Amino acid sequence: MRAQEIREFFLHFFEKRGHRIVQSSSLIPKDDPTLLFTNAGMNQFKNVFLGLEKREYKRAVSIQKCLRVSGKHNDLEQVGKTRKHHTFFEMLGNFSFGDYFKKEAIEYAWKLLVRELKLEESKIYITIYEKDEEAYRIWNNEIGIPSEKIIRLGKKDNFWAMGDTGPCGPCSEIHYDLGEDIEKGDPRYLIEKGSDRFLELWNLVFMEFVVDESGKMSSLPSPSIDTGMGLERLAIVLQNKKSTYETDLFYPLIEAVCELTSREYPSNADDDISIRVIADHLRAITFLIGDGVIPSNEGRGYVLRRIIRRAFRHGKFLGLEEPFLYKLTGLVVDIMKEAYPELISASNYISKVCHSEEERFNITLSAGMKYFEEFAEEAIQTGNKVIPGEQVFKLYDTFGFPIDLTRELAEEKGLQIDEEGFKKELHLQRERARSAWKGSVQQIQKKKFEEIKNVKVKFSGYETDKISNVRIVAIFKAEERVNSLRGGEEGEIVLEETPFYPEGGGQVGDTGQIRGEHFTGVVEDTYSPFSGMIVHKVSILAGEVKEGDRVEAMVDSRRRKSISLNHTSTHLLHAALRNVLGEHVKQSGSLVAPDRLRFDFTHFAPLSKKEINKIESIVNEKIREDLKVEIRTVPFEEGLKEGAIAIFEEKYGDIVRMVKIGDYSKELCGGIHVNSTGEIGFFKIISEKSIAAGMRRIEALTGERALDYIQKEEEILHDIEGLLSRPKEELISQIKDLLQSVKELKKENEALRQKIALEKAFKELDKVKSVKGVNFIAQKVEGISRAELRNLADKIKEKIKPGVVILGTKQDNKAFLVVSISRDLTDRLNANNLVKQISAIIKGGGGGRADFAEAGGSKPELLEKALSQSFEIVKNSL
């Protein structure tokens, strides 16, 4: 059974049993600061399990893209060494939100694996939590698993918790025996130690308890089910293989790597590990870049950079000296395109981002070796024979040297490395990475609103910007819930219904007023800490507001109108970018504010002026066409089927708003929009720049602000016309003429300064000294540039050869030196060595060739001293 057939079979099995098929979320978790990457199928349902969010279904099934490379779920170091560990993998899962529980979850798993997929019953072993008698009874009595095949394990192995607090419960794992030819021994012992012989196929988590902040555990009122089974592991069994790398998900990649490296697989242990690492990492690289991650030095980009560099290094082990991963990302797309068709349009972009990072690492690897040699020499000279942890981490962090590579290089020189010091630095780096993205504040906010989590605020902002007689549900001051706020105080108010749009999807939160019979308050921002909750940040101007008061809520309608112009314009811009640049363009971030819009997107090259003009023209053309903006609510899957674009970083519910602009643009979006594009008036791009490798940013203005921008540009142009006394049609040619004149005058000025300096220098030739048949002169020169100083030195050298010329000048509170030596003297003197000795006097340094070198220093007041001592330095060098 092919991997795609397994996916389809799994989904349909549960769909027939009342489960809603839910699409995989992005590898980038939405609104979950506790995670760098999605690492389990339940991540996208976390708020449902916590009771913070409700769905219209109680049963779900999904195939979730997952990545485990950090935190406690970190399989990176095991990849390639075992038959079953991976960075990127797909998790098959079925979920129950207070519906069915243990009995049904176990029965579904058994029926799918044994009755439907025909796995051999005799090869199945079960682990359960040691105190879970109910699970034991179901497996033993109802399913018929012999007691000797039901293994009781402790809390460490078979009890799952979402965190220190929250839902938790025992779990039961289904293991499959791949055969004694892999490893002989007692099944319990082999399962506990993680032997490759036993494959942990499926983990069934029974969420039946909740832990509070005091550590007290109590029963959940509605127990739930969370299960996870690795597609790659199930494929081993169904395709009758011994390793995930032999399945159709990996083997084409293994073959491609072997073809590139002229290696056989399997052959020897070291080569086989490198081949498997490359095959695994290629999948992670492709999906990470496809989901919008780009290599960087922090957060998720840092992890991607590590993965690319790790795979590249393993290519080096196999004899590949040049970038090669980028050639194979397209093969990953080809293998996975049935399940993830969005990869197809991004394939070229993924390859380019990967190639760029490989080239960068190829350069830094060489540079890193130079640093390693320096660190090793330091360790040898000090006699410690240990390379410090900070230096090991520098090689790891800056140059991508994994610790095992540094260890091997050190051992070759009879050295050790400070692994504890390295681990300390690594821990600090991980903490920096974890705090490198927005989210920690949101987590605090969620806890603050825990006691009113069942309140579902009605949002009426699509229909109106003003409502009356609405009740205040709760008031907060700082982190505490309070009964009231008085004039001069700031806090947060939750209403039972609100027209205020909360920040989300790139759109800023609404501002405005909330007022009642006894108070007036200004709404300074609006946000949503979790689905269904809308919070207003307020400043009370006068009076007192109390919980339970009936109030009037009014959005700043003029500000909202400006926001709506910019939001609809981002949709037009997105469509125009895809039209002009290609379908690989994906939105990767945006800001929709009243005064401007900012749009971040994936693209590998700077936009030309012609491309920018074309994009701008298309958007304005659609504005002039006054296209109708139609908004419908549709099921998420239906929206995708209709061709609507979903943004990878957003989290969508089951029912979504689809924004359609004529026949030109169709996106899933919850924001505020105009009724027709003509309302926008005018669109103007004011900047386009790179924000990271493979990521571009456009900033633009609309409506009145776009007009203001053009008028200011016109004013500047008008002022230039006045200064140059030329009409604007002639300004370009006039400026070109002026620039040419300036260039010629600079050239004349430079020649004149050179002539004056040369004449002055030639008058000093009677001061030339001679030592051991070598002529020597050292002079301070004023009023010339460094380039002119070099030319002057060469001309004087021609006059006194064979000789040594040393010239110095002062500029911008710094001193500069040049040393020029006749070529026929370079066997006796070296300009590079001389300049280093002389520049030390002016507290500087430099270098160059044997016949010419230059240097700078931070102590210009010591220039004369350096020049006067230079004769002795030359004399001693002969």
Side-chain angles (χ1 to χ4, degrees), residues 137 150 188 197 218 224 251 257 397 523 537 549 602 634 735 753 757 851:
R137 181 185 56 76
I150 303 175
R188 179 189 178 101
R197 172 179 161 184
S218 54
S224 297
Y251 204 68
V257 175
D397 189 48
V523 177
K537 291 186 176 181
D549 282 357
T602 55
V634 296
I735 291 171
R753 287 202 307 270
D851 64 326

Side-chain angles (χ1 to χ4, degrees), residues 111-153:
K111 185 167 186 178
L112 175 67
L113 293 178
V114 177
R115 304 287 177 256
E116 301 282 341
L117 294 174
K118 308 300 182 185
L119 269 64
E120 291 184 44
E121 193 173 328
S122 62
K123 293 185 176 182
I124 291 177
Y125 287 76
I126 306 298
T127 65
I128 61 170
Y129 177 49
E130 57 191 359
K131 297 179 181 179
D132 192 351
E133 297 302 329
E134 183 183 4
Y136 177 85
R137 181 185 56 76
I138 296 169
W139 280 117
N140 185 235
N141 297 344
E142 299 186 32
I143 301 299
I145 301 293
S147 58
E148 64 270 18
K149 287 194 170 185
I150 303 175
I151 301 168
R152 295 177 184 266
L153 296 174

Side-chain angles (χ1 to χ4, degrees), residues 356-466:
S356 173
E357 181 61 21
E358 287 186 88
E359 288 185 318
R360 184 179 287 112
F361 182 48
N362 208 15
I363 296 168
T364 59
L365 193 60
S366 300
M369 284 303 299
K370 294 176 184 176
Y371 274 87
F372 170 79
E373 294 296 339
E374 288 180 14
F375 296 156
E377 186 60 30
E378 284 178 24
I380 292 168
Q381 292 297 328
T382 58
N384 289 334
K385 299 290 186 178
V386 176
I387 299 176
E390 310 91 77
Q391 294 180 346
V392 176
F393 182 75
K394 180 179 178 66
L395 292 169
Y396 171 88
D397 189 48
T398 306
F399 302 105
F401 278 37
I403 188 170
D404 53 348
L405 173 62
T406 307
R407 186 189 299 114
E408 290 168 11
L409 292 170
E411 287 173 354
E412 289 173 7
K413 292 181 176 290
L415 301 173
Q416 295 179 317
I417 60 172
D418 173 16
E419 295 201 28
E420 287 305 312
F422 168 79
K423 288 175 184 176
K424 181 181 177 182
E425 294 293 326
L426 184 61
H427 174 73
L428 292 172
Q429 169 62 42
R430 283 174 175 165
E431 289 302 308
R432 289 193 293 271
R434 188 163 293 283
S435 62
W437 77 94
K438 181 181 175 182
S440 56
V441 174
Q442 293 174 338
Q443 195 70 0
I444 294 169
Q445 290 165 348
K446 287 182 181 180
K447 289 182 180 178
K448 179 166 70 176
F449 300 113
E450 186 80 19
E451 61 180 291
I452 58 168
K453 67 183 181 182
N454 292 323
V455 173
K456 298 300 174 188
V457 179
K458 180 183 177 183
F459 176 65
S460 53
Y462 294 134
E463 298 81 30
T464 182
D465 55 15
K466 177 180 177 182

Side-chain angles (χ1 to χ4, degrees), residues 185-209:
D186 174 57
R188 179 189 178 101
Y189 168 75
L190 295 177
I191 286 171
E192 281 194 86
K193 82 160 191 170
S195 168
D196 276 347
R197 172 179 161 184
F198 286 91
L199 203 60
E200 180 198 323
L201 272 184
W202 208 340
N203 189 10
L204 315 178
V205 178
F206 312 125
M207 284 194 228
E208 55 183 313
F209 304 109

Side-chain angles (χ1 to χ4, degrees), residues 821-871:
I821 299 175
S822 301
R823 285 186 181 276
D824 53 0
L825 293 177
T826 54
D827 58 338
R828 300 173 64 193
L829 289 170
N830 186 297
N832 185 45
N833 294 338
L834 290 175
V835 85
K836 286 180 179 178
Q837 294 179 65
I838 301 167
S839 63
I841 299 169
I842 57 171
K843 307 302 180 188
R849 305 186 307 269
D851 64 326
F852 184 88
E854 58 187 329
S858 59
K859 297 288 184 179
E861 65 272 18
L862 298 176
L863 179 62
E864 288 81 358
K865 180 181 178 182
L867 292 171
S868 66
Q869 292 183 8
S870 61
F871 178 73

Side-chain angles (χ1 to χ4, degrees), residues 99 174 255 353 374 452 553 709 838:
D99 187 15
I174 300 171
E255 289 181 313
V353 172
E374 288 180 14
I452 58 168
Y709 177 83
I838 301 167

